[in-house]
């Protein structure tokens, strides 16, 4: 129940509460924090993809005036323990997990020496004085090389270079055994088989990573770090350094972009507090942008051999997939989680009756892989959506029609997929039809056809997707190797003056969580929005959460915990109001002006009046404790799936091969929208990242395992001029698995936009052009398609 009020804030386009602060440059990021007596840490990173460390001479660096400490991986090996794993899939092998390399380096950028000095300049001068003798070794550059017979082993104790293998289908008690995929494919009217590549990319957050640690005797550590997961950082620092958790405080100041990349633990988050304790003074580390390209976990990096069978009507009868995940040199704290998600979610929004999927996660001499917006879902969407287009052409079907025939019907929701996911709610076909009827879509069709008549090279592509959100429940997560809980906690307190304070375990990263929660709380008590404050990002005050801000959980799971806590406080206030009004609690209602006895016609008893009585304590119902505060934890009974359909119009410059996205039409459903403006910005932001993923963003390596991209001069992000006007519309099918009906929206924009863009490029190419099977689609690949064709 919320307060009775014609002016509901939830569901309205309330501006981001911190928007003006950020636009004016008044955000307080980790790099803005400076402490008295602080020292600065820098790291010597490997220039080799693979080499044996023969000798390190740090004597000259240690002797430099202003240097406080120098340490190698060998010196710290027994002093700092290995990191843990957020995703620890059954059978997963682990690396050494130490923050500095010892014995060997396994990727360019791997840290092997730490220097702490009075400032950044002296510390970097000291790095130049360190002498390292390496024995270069032959690197393993690709999954194929990693899996080849006789390949060099990155981790000798593994016995091979395979970290883990996962497969589907999985047996689900209570559900019938799915059809045999081999038989389904053998009897299919048409099979389409291709190998698809999703290239390695990076999050490129506005703020690079940063860590600042204050020290007090005890020891007591206060760690400021740019992270999505303060409690995970606290747990890891405590375990790796042997310090009790209650002596560690982790604060996430304003976070300038994260996108999943800041959702796990990094080596620097152990090294900085280690040196703070060693030196008994504050220590800071601010990542330089060239470091970020080799030190931040990238994502994607999958090659998939996908075979899909269709009957004569274009309906999918089964699929077989074999794919590799290039984990880089060692499993990050994310493990092979993104690769697992790809297999589990490969059927997408379609009724695929039979699957045979095997995923193999392997190590190579590259930066360790991690999470990035989409978390394995774009890697699943791209191969399947491209395959549907190829099959449609072979079967003489329209691209929309083949999707229409395969989408899970609304009447069958909830729907169990062949990989074991439970699609909770929605009408996928309805959204597709709405997109096809949009004036913007019809205009795109007309523009394509008119442009072709003029000799221009235009194409129109389509893609449909669903997005796994509200990650949980806690009872299921251990089955897939996630050791944390899927629940989330919030508390709500009415202050003595009647204002509302919400404390959440979510950590905002610019997406507007604090604004949405303020709307929910304001509605719950019928108070103005500016009467609500929202606190977050501090392990000393924010409530524990296992998974933190990730997996599109804030609106549905976190928002439900706010509703629960508010409901508890509201019930107590109603009881107090009834006592003060000498009425039955069943007859008391909360309205915008306060509490009233229904039908009495009396003036409301203000929220502040009830709060005053609660804190004075002398006139409360018998046995009631003073104060107004409640905490609640919400654990979703199941995951929720947002979904959508995307159409893209592209134009190709036939001289250069450059692709311009002229239009994006985007239909989207994330259940109940707590704040439509936030939803809109999340979808559009993801779509922009999808443009980069489709057309320009890639982290390439040479034959020696050296990365080509070390700056934004080499890594091409989309510019504002590359982004078209986006026609965005919504439907709302609430999920039954949250109290507010909200599903997540964080990943939606990036999942299918690349697929729609590539389908549009293929549509623009000559009829016989070879299928585009890899992203990004660089201009040289487009020129090949324009100039050559296959029979």
């Amino acid at each position: 129940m919320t307060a009775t009020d014609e002016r509901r804030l939830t569901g309205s386009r309330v501006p981001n509460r911190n928007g003006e602060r950020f636009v004016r440059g008044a955000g307080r990021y980790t790099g803005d924090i400076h402490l008295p007596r602080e020292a600065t840490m820098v790291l010597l990173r490997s220039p080799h993809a693979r080499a044996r460390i023969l000798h390190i001479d740090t004597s000259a660096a240690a002797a430099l005036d202003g240097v406080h400490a120098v340490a190698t991986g060998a010196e710290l090996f027994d002093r700092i323990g290995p990191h843990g794993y957020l995703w620890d899939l059954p059978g997963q092998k682990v690396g050494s997990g130490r923050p500095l390399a010892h014995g060997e380096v396994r990727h360019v950028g791997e840290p092997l020496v730490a220097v702490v000095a009075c400032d950044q300049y002296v510390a970097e001068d000291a790095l130049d004085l360190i002498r390292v003798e390496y024995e270069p070794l032959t690197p393993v550059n690709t999954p194929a090389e990693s899996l080849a017979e006789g390949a060099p082993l990155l981790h000798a104790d593994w016995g091979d270079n395979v970290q883990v293998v996962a497969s589907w289908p999985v047996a689900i008690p209570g559900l019938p055994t799915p059809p045999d995929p081999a038989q389904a494919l053998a009897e299919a009217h048409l099979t389409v088989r291709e190998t698809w590549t999703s290239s390695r990319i990076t999050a490129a957050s506005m703020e690079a990573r940063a860590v600042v640690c204050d020290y007090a005797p005890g020891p007591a550590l206060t760690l400021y770090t740019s992270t999505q997961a303060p409690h995970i950082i606290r747990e890891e620092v405590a375990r790796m350094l042997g310090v009790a958790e209650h002596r560690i405080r982790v604060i996430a100041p304003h976070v300038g972009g994260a996108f999943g990349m800041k959702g796990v633990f990094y080596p620097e988050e152990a090294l900085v507090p280690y040196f703070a304790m060693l030196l008994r003074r504050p220590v800071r580390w601010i990542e330089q942008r060239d470091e970020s390209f080799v030190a931040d976990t990238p994502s994607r990096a999958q090659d998939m051999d996908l075979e899909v069978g269709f009957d004569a009507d274009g309906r999918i009868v089964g699929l077989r997939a074999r794919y590799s995940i290039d984990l880089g040199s060692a499993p990050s704290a994310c493990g092979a989680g993104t690769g697992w998600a790809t297999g589990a979610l490969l059927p997408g929004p379609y009724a695929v009756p039979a699957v045979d999927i095997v995923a193999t996660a392997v190590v190579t001499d590259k930066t360790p892989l991690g999470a990035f917006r989409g978390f394995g879902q774009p890697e699943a969407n791209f191969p399947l959506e491209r395959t549907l287009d190829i099959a449609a052409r072979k079967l003489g079907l329209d691209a929309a029609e083949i999707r229409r025939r395969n989408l899970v019907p609304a009447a069958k929701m909830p729907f169990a997929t062949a990989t074991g996911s439970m699609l909770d709610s929605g009408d996928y076909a309805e959204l597709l039809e709405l997109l096809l009827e949009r004036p913007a879509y019809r205009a795109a069709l007309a523009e394509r056809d008119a442009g072709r008549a003029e000799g221009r090279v235009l194409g129109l592509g389509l893609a449909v997707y669903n997005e796994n959100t509200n990650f949980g429940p806690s009872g299921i997560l251990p089955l897939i190797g996630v050791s944390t809980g899927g629940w989330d906690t919030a508390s709500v307190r009415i202050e003595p003056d009647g204002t509302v304070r919400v404390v959440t375990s979510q950590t905002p990263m610019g997406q507007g969580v604090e604004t949405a929660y303020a709307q929910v709380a304001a509605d719950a008590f019928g108070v103005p929005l500016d009467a609500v404050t929202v606190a977050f990002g501090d392990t000393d005050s924010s409530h524990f959460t296992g998974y933190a801000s990730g997996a599109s959980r804030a609106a549905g799971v976190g928002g439900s915990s706010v509703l629960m806590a508010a409901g508890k406080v509201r019930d107590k206030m109603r009881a107090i109001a009834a006592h003060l009004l000498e009425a039955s609690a069943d007859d008391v209602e909360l309205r915008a002006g306060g509490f009233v006895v229904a039908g009495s016609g009396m003036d409301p008893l203000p929220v502040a009046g009830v709060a005053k009585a609660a804190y004075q304590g002398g006139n409360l119902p018998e046995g009631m404790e003073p104060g107004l505060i409640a905490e609640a934890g919400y654990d979703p009974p199941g995951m929720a799936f947002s979904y959508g359909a995307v159409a893209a119009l592209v134009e190709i410059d036939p001289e250069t091969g450059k692709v311009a996205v002229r239009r994006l039409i985007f239909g989207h459903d994330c259940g109940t929208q707590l704040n439509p403006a936030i939803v809109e910005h999340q979808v559009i932001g993801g779509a922009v990242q999808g443009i980069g993923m489709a057309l320009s963003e890639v982290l390439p390596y040479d034959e020696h395992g050296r990365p080509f991209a070390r700056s934004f001069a080499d890594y091409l992000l989309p510019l504002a001029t590359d982004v078209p006007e986006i026609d965005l519309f919504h439907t709302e099918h609430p999920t039954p698995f949250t109290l507010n009906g909200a599903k997540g929206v964080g990943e939606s924009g990036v999942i299918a936009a690349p697929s729609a863009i590539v389908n549009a490029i293929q549509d623009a190419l000559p009829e016989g052009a070879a299928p585009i099977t890899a992203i990004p689609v660089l201009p040289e690949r487009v020129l090949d398609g324009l100039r050559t064709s296959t029979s």
Side-chain angles (χ1 to χ4, degrees):
M1 164 186 169
T2 58
T4 303
D5 188 357
E6 295 179 0
R7 178 198 50 80
R8 274 182 56 84
L9 289 165
T10 305
S12 62
R13 300 174 64 86
V14 173
N16 190 317
R17 303 185 103 189
N18 282 321
E20 183 176 355
R21 172 187 292 174
F22 294 142
V23 169
R24 292 181 178 273
R28 187 170 187 253
Y29 303 97
T30 304
D32 296 323
I33 296 170
H34 291 276
L35 303 173
R37 299 179 60 250
E38 70 182 11
T40 297
M41 183 186 80
V42 298
L43 298 171
L44 181 67
R45 298 183 181 276
S46 169
H48 299 284
R50 184 85 182 278
R52 189 170 291 114
I53 303 170
L54 301 179
H55 180 67
I56 302 176
D57 182 357
T58 62
S59 57
L64 184 66
D65 186 36
V67 170
H68 300 305
V70 181
T72 66
E75 292 165 345
L76 297 187
F77 192 84
D78 293 326
R79 301 180 189 177
I80 303 179
H83 69 71
Y85 293 87
L86 179 61
W87 279 74
D88 189 7
L89 295 171
Q92 176 175 294
K93 301 169 187 172
V94 300
S96 76
R98 295 315 200 275
L100 295 179
H102 170 59
E104 286 188 8
V105 289
R106 295 181 175 87
H107 69 86
V108 171
E110 184 171 10
L112 62 155
V113 183
V115 174
V116 183
C118 58
D119 59 35
Q120 185 86 21
Y121 303 102
V122 173
E124 291 191 6
D125 286 344
L127 285 188
D128 294 336
L129 299 176
I130 297 173
R131 297 291 175 259
V132 183
E133 184 179 351
Y134 297 98
E135 178 189 347
L137 303 172
T138 302
V140 177
N141 290 322
T142 67
E145 292 179 12
S146 182
L147 293 170
E149 186 175 351
L153 298 182
L154 271 74
H155 305 278
D157 57 320
W158 286 17
D160 57 26
N161 288 322
V162 176
Q163 188 240 5
V164 71
V165 176
S167 62
W168 295 264
V170 293
I172 302 177
L175 292 181
T177 302
D180 177 27
Q183 181 179 353
L185 289 170
E187 297 175 354
H189 174 77
L190 169 71
T191 59
V192 176
R193 182 177 180 181
E194 294 284 353
T195 298
W196 307 93
T197 297
S198 295
S199 296
R200 178 174 283 239
I201 59 176
T202 188
S205 58
M206 181 184 74
E207 176 202 22
R209 292 186 297 112
V211 186
V212 177
C213 184
D214 200 2
Y215 168 85
L221 302 172
T222 300
L223 198 68
Y224 303 88
T225 181
S226 182
T227 184
Q228 300 169 234
H231 288 93
I232 289 175
I233 303 305
R234 185 181 67 177
E235 286 183 334
E236 286 297 297
V237 170
R239 194 173 53 77
M240 294 177 72
L241 299 184
V243 177
E245 279 192 43
H246 72 277
R247 295 189 176 275
I248 301 171
R249 180 185 184 187
V250 178
I251 300 172
H254 291 137
V255 178
F259 310 116
M261 180 270 290
K262 297 178 182 176
V264 295
F265 183 83
Y266 280 90
E268 296 84 2
E269 286 162 326
L271 289 169
V272 169
Y274 169 81
F275 284 110
M277 288 194 297
L278 179 70
L279 301 171
R280 295 175 176 262
R281 67 191 304 161
V283 176
R284 66 191 278 108
W285 170 79
I286 308 299
E287 184 178 55
Q288 306 304 298
R289 185 58 71 175
D290 61 343
E291 283 185 288
S292 71
F293 281 91
V294 294
D296 297 350
T297 56
S299 199
R300 310 297 189 247
Q302 289 190 20
D303 293 304
M304 178 182 291
D305 183 323
L306 177 65
E307 183 179 11
V308 183
F310 300 84
D311 66 18
D313 293 325
R315 291 182 174 83
I316 298 173
V317 297
L319 67 79
R320 178 188 294 117
R322 298 290 184 272
Y323 65 98
S324 63
I325 307 107
D326 184 345
L327 290 177
S329 64
S332 71
C334 193
T338 60
W340 181 91
T342 298
L345 304 174
L346 185 56
Y350 303 110
V352 179
V355 299
D356 174 12
I357 303 169
V358 179
T360 304
V362 301
V363 286
T364 63
D365 288 299
K366 302 188 185 82
T367 303
L369 200 75
F372 178 45
R373 197 174 199 170
F375 201 83
Q377 296 173 93
E379 301 94 302
N381 185 267
F382 174 65
L384 189 56
E385 289 297 315
R386 289 288 296 119
T387 296
L388 286 169
D389 260 31
I390 294 171
R393 292 190 181 195
K394 290 179 179 292
L395 292 168
L397 293 174
D398 177 79
E401 180 58 29
I402 197 169
R403 289 168 172 83
R404 188 181 288 119
R405 296 182 184 186
N406 284 288
L407 290 170
V408 174
K412 291 192 176 181
M413 295 288 185
F415 180 84
T417 72
T419 56
S421 297
M422 182 64 70
L423 308 184
D424 59 305
S425 62
D427 194 331
Y428 299 165
E430 172 197 46
L431 193 64
L432 176 59
E433 298 307 320
L434 288 173
L435 180 139
L436 299 175
E437 294 167 4
R438 295 287 288 183
Y441 181 79
R442 296 182 182 278
L445 275 173
E447 185 176 344
R448 181 195 65 176
D449 296 343
R452 286 177 173 178
E454 297 169 358
R456 294 159 61 197
V457 184
L458 290 99
L460 186 63
L462 186 67
V464 184
Y465 73 96
N466 57 10
E467 176 201 353
N468 179 253
T469 76
N470 293 350
F471 196 63
S474 299
I476 290 177
L477 296 188
L479 303 179
I480 57 177
V482 178
S483 56
T484 65
W487 50 274
D488 212 72
T489 306
S491 66
V492 172
R493 182 172 76 229
I494 305 296
E495 304 286 12
D497 63 356
T499 57
V500 184
R501 180 176 175 83
V502 176
V503 180
T504 175
S505 54
Q506 290 291 308
T507 302
M509 301 162 287
Q511 73 274 49
V513 169
E514 63 272 44
T515 304
Y517 289 176
Q519 292 173 253
V520 171
D523 279 345
F525 297 101
V527 299
L529 190 67
D530 61 6
V532 182
T533 60
V534 180
F536 51 84
D538 185 339
T539 57
D540 268 13
S541 56
S542 300
H543 306 290
F544 178 84
T545 181
Y547 209 82
S549 292
S552 295
R553 305 171 66 251
V557 181
S560 291
S561 68
V562 173
L563 274 178
M564 289 175 67
K568 292 179 180 180
V569 174
R570 195 173 53 242
D571 288 345
K572 183 174 182 179
M573 294 183 76
R574 183 184 296 109
I576 296 172
H579 176 75
L580 297 175
L581 295 169
E582 299 180 348
S584 167
D586 293 337
D587 295 331
V588 173
E589 295 179 351
L590 174 59
R591 296 182 178 173
F595 291 89
V596 299
V597 178
S600 68
M602 63 189 302
D603 291 336
L605 175 61
V607 168
V610 177
K612 182 177 181 180
Y615 285 96
Q616 194 280 327
N619 188 17
L620 297 176
E622 185 177 352
M624 179 177 285
E625 295 179 358
L628 289 172
I629 185 170
E631 180 179 327
Y634 184 73
D635 200 343
M639 301 183 195
F641 282 79
S642 298
Y643 59 95
V646 187
L649 176 71
V650 304
E651 182 169 4
I652 297 172
D653 183 333
E655 297 299 320
T656 65
K658 179 176 173 58
V659 176
V661 181
R662 297 299 184 202
R663 294 177 183 265
L664 275 180
I665 303 97
F666 207 121
H668 174 259
D669 192 311
C670 61
T672 303
Q673 298 183 63
L674 303 185
N675 184 320
I678 291 175
V679 171
E680 177 181 310
H681 298 156
Q682 284 288 292
V683 174
I684 291 174
V688 172
Q689 289 179 314
I691 292 172
M693 180 178 160
L695 300 179
S696 62
E697 293 186 46
V698 61
L699 292 172
Y701 293 76
D702 67 14
E703 68 273 17
H704 303 293
R706 294 176 300 209
F708 285 114
R710 294 294 295 268
S711 74
F712 288 131
D714 312 308
Y715 189 82
L716 303 182
L717 295 169
L719 304 175
T721 52
D722 297 322
V723 181
E725 288 293 325
I726 299 176
D727 180 59
L728 177 62
F729 68 96
H730 303 272
T731 59
E732 287 195 17
H733 289 81
T735 178
F737 295 153
T738 61
L739 301 182
N740 54 16
K743 307 177 184 182
V745 68
E747 332 281 340
S748 277
V750 77
I751 294 174
S755 304
I757 291 168
V758 178
N759 279 337
I761 296 171
Q762 190 76 60
D763 181 56
L765 296 178
E767 182 68 28
I772 299 172
T773 58
I775 46 177
V777 186
L778 301 178
E780 52 265 38
R781 173 64 184 87
V782 176
L783 289 174
D784 287 343
L786 289 172
R787 294 168 183 168
T788 62
S789 63
T790 59
S791 58

